[in-house]
Amino acid sequence: MFGLMMDRPLLLSSLVEHAEQQFPDVEIVSRETHGPLFRYTYRELAARSRRLAKALAALGVARGTRVATVAWNNHRHLEAYFAVSGSGAVLHTCNPRLHPEQLAYILNHAEDQVVLLDSTFLPLAEAVAPLCPGVTAWVLMTDAGQMPLQSKLANLLCYETLLDGQDDVFAWPEFDERTASSLCFTSGTTGNPKGVLYSHRSTMLHSFALSLPDTLSLSARDCVLPVVPMFHVNAWGIPYAAPMNGCKLVLPGPKLDGASLFELMESEGVTCSAGVPTIWLGLAQYMEAEGVKPATMHRSVVGGSAMPQSLIRDFDQKFGVEVRHCWGMTETSPLGTQGAPLGKHAALPVDQQYALRSKQGRAVFGVQLKVVDANGQDLPRDGQSAGELLVRGPWIMSEYFKGEKPALQGGWFPTGDIATIDTDGIMQITDRVKDVIKSGGEWISSIDLENAAMGHPALAMAAVIGVKHPKWDERPVLCAVKKPGQEVDKAAVLDFLGNKVARWWLPDEVIFVDSLPMGATGKVQKMDLRRKYADVLMSK
Ligand code: ADP
């Protein structure tokens, strides 16, 4: 017997409709690409999204057409989120930090017909356009006054001129909630990038989960600043969850340095935010140097790579910001786990509370987790047994765009991460399968070592790689960046680590570098380090 409830589809257009009716005056503040702040409201967002939907239809965008964006976090990008997906077309958010050849590859693979781009990326578009004959229109996200006098792009259009040509009378179409809504490619550190195709249903369920108290805890009293780019896994779903909950939304545009973010947080009364650890490191360094702390920002989610415990503690104690550690991937929409404490944790000594908070946390309802051994057998949830992390749920990918199969294991998605899960379901990532260090048949966790090294007061960043060793097969090597003006040497670092990790885990070499190679999504490119330092231990 079926229930007798209305079968209304979960469609993304309903979010902007809801915000228009319930939160018409709530502000959206956006940093324009050329500098100034732009402000409007959900009422105007909704009206302009409808006009954009009509303009795109006039350009031939139909159900299922792929429309790409190469853009910062700003109000026009937000309009594209609703106009494209709301029309039943597919929003393909592209990472502008990709190599031009990779960008051309994903534009062609997605078969994008229209590309919306910020003026910053015009030279990039001009470079890739000859490789992408399928793109029929390049739309510069600016007004007529800012259009270049000439461009190598023959079919370059102006965003605001397109909108000027339309009124806002438009009814969002209704269709199956399983329809594709957006497409995002994984960074593809090996081989070509692979597309993850989200649906209206998966994105909407993910938005509910993101709003929950133990995740981002969003409400109509919040002012949220997504630092995480809108080209990276839909800014972790904030552009959808903000209108769902009526949050004021602050979009930082291209200015992501500590000083600019701090100024924006203060001037707009930001209460919560989201971003990768390197962003929070930059902000912490700025606040430390200036001797300031945020007046209203009191919580943030962080993920994408491991947030060092020392930084979680600093944010708490020095700046009054609760940092909540989350784990996820492009393939998981991305929200998988969150690190909010359980009630019983309040009774633990403070050090243990921080140790728990630096783990990746508990599965968000909707996501199931397990760890398995090399034969695919389930491992116990004892906080000790490490194996590959498998996930499943309604916002976890089942296969890549255009049928590239990830070889699901019995209906579960293998993440490529190595983790433990404890009796409370708290998960800890110890490594990625490709980064784990195999020393004399035993595993050494590069993430644990990095976390410990980052606790050293003179170190700003740390990356540990496995390097070929004549006797042990592989041994750890630590690449570290010192904090500005700080001095420290190898012996002092090893001494410090000696109190924190097993002796046989201690890195065989410590290499001080000016900076670490960062990938397009804010992760250290360990492949580059492995290549560069491949032989440093061979003469030992
Ligand atoms: P890509 O897989 O292309 O690098 P993603 O952004 O999808 O891009 O990266 C997902 C990966 O990032 C995860 O599989 C995991 O290895 C890592 N990751 C994400 N969040 C965390 C976290 N909180 N702690 C440690 N690693 C994380």
Side-chain angles (χ1 to χ4, degrees):
M1 185 190 284
F2 286 117
L4 296 173
M5 307 307 280
M6 290 186 195
D7 212 2
R8 300 285 301 144
L10 296 170
L11 298 178
L12 297 181
S13 53
S14 66
L15 292 170
V16 77
E17 275 188 322
H18 173 73
E20 184 179 27
Q21 287 175 356
Q22 300 300 316
F23 317 111
D25 304 326
V26 172
E27 265 190 317
I28 297 163
V29 181
S30 161
R31 170 83 63 197
E32 299 243 34
T33 304
H34 60 284
L37 286 181
F38 170 87
R39 313 176 169 268
Y40 68 1
T41 60
Y42 279 115
R43 184 192 287 117
E44 288 157 289
L45 167 69
R48 282 173 53 92
S49 301
R50 291 193 293 268
R51 283 162 63 194
L52 178 59
K54 290 175 89 164
L56 290 173
L59 289 177
V61 171
R63 299 270 173 93
T65 303
R66 265 79 77 194
V67 176
T69 56
V70 190
W72 301 110
N73 290 12
N74 58 39
H75 68 287
R76 294 190 181 100
H77 203 174
L78 188 66
E79 290 159 9
Y81 262 55
F82 293 105
V84 175
S85 306
S87 304
V90 180
L91 180 83
H92 171 203
T93 51
C94 299
N95 189 333
R97 297 195 195 106
L98 289 178
H99 187 275
E101 270 173 26
Q102 271 194 331
L103 180 61
Y105 170 84
I106 64 171
L107 291 171
N108 289 330
H109 189 65
E111 300 174 57
D112 293 309
Q113 282 183 30
V114 175
V115 181
L116 308 175
L117 65 141
D118 272 331
S119 41
T120 319
F121 307 118
L122 186 56
L124 180 62
E126 288 175 335
V128 300
L131 306 172
C132 304
V135 176
T136 55
W138 300 83
V139 180
L140 203 61
M141 297 166 92
T142 191
D143 54 35
Q146 305 275 341
M147 286 297 283
L149 293 177
Q150 52 186 3
S151 161
K152 286 188 209 144
L153 295 175
N155 40 1
L156 184 68
L157 303 171
C158 170
Y159 185 96
E160 291 298 332
T161 308
L162 286 180
L163 258 66
D164 286 345
Q166 303 294 336
D167 62 31
D168 66 5
V169 184
F170 177 73
W172 295 110
E174 273 197 15
F175 41 79
D176 191 314
E177 64 184 19
R178 292 166 301 175
T179 302
S181 58
S182 62
L183 176 65
C184 187
F185 281 76
T186 63
S187 4
T189 35
T190 51
N192 278 324
K194 296 191 203 57
V196 179
L197 190 61
Y198 309 103
S199 71
H200 286 255
R201 172 185 155 80
S202 71
T203 307
M204 196 71 105
L205 294 174
H206 182 266
S207 290
F208 281 116
L210 187 68
S211 310
L212 288 171
D214 272 352
T215 42
L216 209 48
S217 185
L218 293 177
S219 81
R221 274 85 54 211
D222 274 312
C223 173
V224 54
L225 169 75
V227 184
V228 51
M230 290 169 74
F231 57 74
H232 190 212
V233 213
N234 302 322
W236 299 351
I238 292 173
Y240 307 112
M244 176 180 266
N245 294 286
C247 312
K248 174 176 170 182
L249 188 57
V250 179
L251 301 170
K255 293 179 91 175
L256 303 177
D257 59 290
S260 305
L261 288 176
F262 185 78
E263 187 197 310
L264 202 55
M265 285 169 180
E266 293 304 281
S267 63
E268 298 305 325
V270 169
T271 57
C272 64
S273 184
V276 295
T278 38
I279 290 287
W280 301 118
L281 184 66
L283 184 65
Q285 283 173 347
Y286 171 79
M287 294 193 292
E288 184 105 52
E290 297 294 312
V292 291
K293 59 181 186 178
T296 51
M297 229 256 314
H298 54 82
R299 66 185 194 282
S300 174
V301 292
V302 56
S305 50
M307 179 75 169
Q309 194 184 135
S310 52
L311 209 50
I312 297 180
R313 195 186 276 257
D314 277 359
F315 265 95
D316 229 17
Q317 296 179 352
K318 293 186 185 162
F319 311 122
V321 180
E322 183 200 337
V323 170
R324 203 163 279 173
H325 201 181
C326 292
W327 166 90
M329 325 174 61
T330 307
E331 289 89 338
T332 66
S333 291
L335 187 57
T337 65
Q338 52 73 20
L342 295 169
K344 66 181 179 181
H345 293 155
L348 292 174
V350 172
D351 280 354
Q352 279 184 42
Q353 291 189 30
Y354 281 120
L356 276 169
R357 283 175 53 189
S358 69
K359 297 186 176 189
Q360 280 70 15
R362 295 174 281 124
V364 171
F365 176 77
V367 176
Q368 290 174 283
L369 306 176
K370 65 177 180 174
V371 283
V372 298
D373 66 16
N375 302 318
Q377 296 302 311
D378 291 7
L379 287 168
R381 295 162 85 92
D382 58 7
Q384 301 292 326
S385 310
E388 185 169 7
L389 179 68
L390 268 51
V391 292
R392 71 176 180 192
W395 57 84
I396 310 295
M397 187 198 73
S398 60
E399 58 186 81
Y400 288 103
F401 179 61
K402 292 194 171 167
E404 292 169 63
K405 301 255 194 273
L408 291 189
Q409 294 182 19
W412 294 71
F413 173 72
T415 62
D417 285 331
I418 297 173
T420 59
I421 302 177
D422 73 13
T423 45
D424 289 320
I426 296 174
M427 186 272 284
Q428 178 168 27
I429 302 273
T430 56
D431 239 315
R432 297 203 85 167
V433 171
K434 62 184 179 358
D435 291 339
V436 72
I437 301 158
K438 295 177 190 107
S439 170
E442 302 277 353
W443 284 5
I444 296 176
S445 158
S446 66
I447 293 188
D448 275 0
L449 269 176
E450 286 158 9
N451 217 336
M454 292 281 287
H456 192 290
L459 296 185
M461 289 185 86
V464 174
I465 49 169
V467 170
K468 257 187 306 177
H469 188 279
K471 178 165 175 204
W472 299 108
D473 192 17
E474 268 184 1
R475 287 294 300 157
V477 165
L478 167 65
C479 303
V481 181
K482 293 177 200 165
K483 283 188 184 159
Q486 298 275 347
E487 264 321 313
V488 62
D489 61 9
K490 173 178 168 182
V493 171
L494 292 182
D495 221 36
F496 177 83
L497 288 177
N499 296 322
K500 308 225 175 296
V501 299
R503 278 227 81 72
W504 65 276
W505 277 35
L506 284 182
D508 283 28
E509 195 53 79
V510 179
I511 301 171
F512 293 101
V513 290
D514 291 338
S515 64
L516 293 171
M518 302 302 282
T521 55
K523 289 186 224 295
V524 176
Q525 296 298 86
K526 291 196 181 175
M527 281 220 305
D528 293 356
L529 292 174
R530 276 195 286 266
R531 209 174 301 126
K532 188 159 176 195
Y533 300 116
D535 296 323
V536 286
L537 301 180
M538 287 316 270
S539 54
K540 302 238 160 182

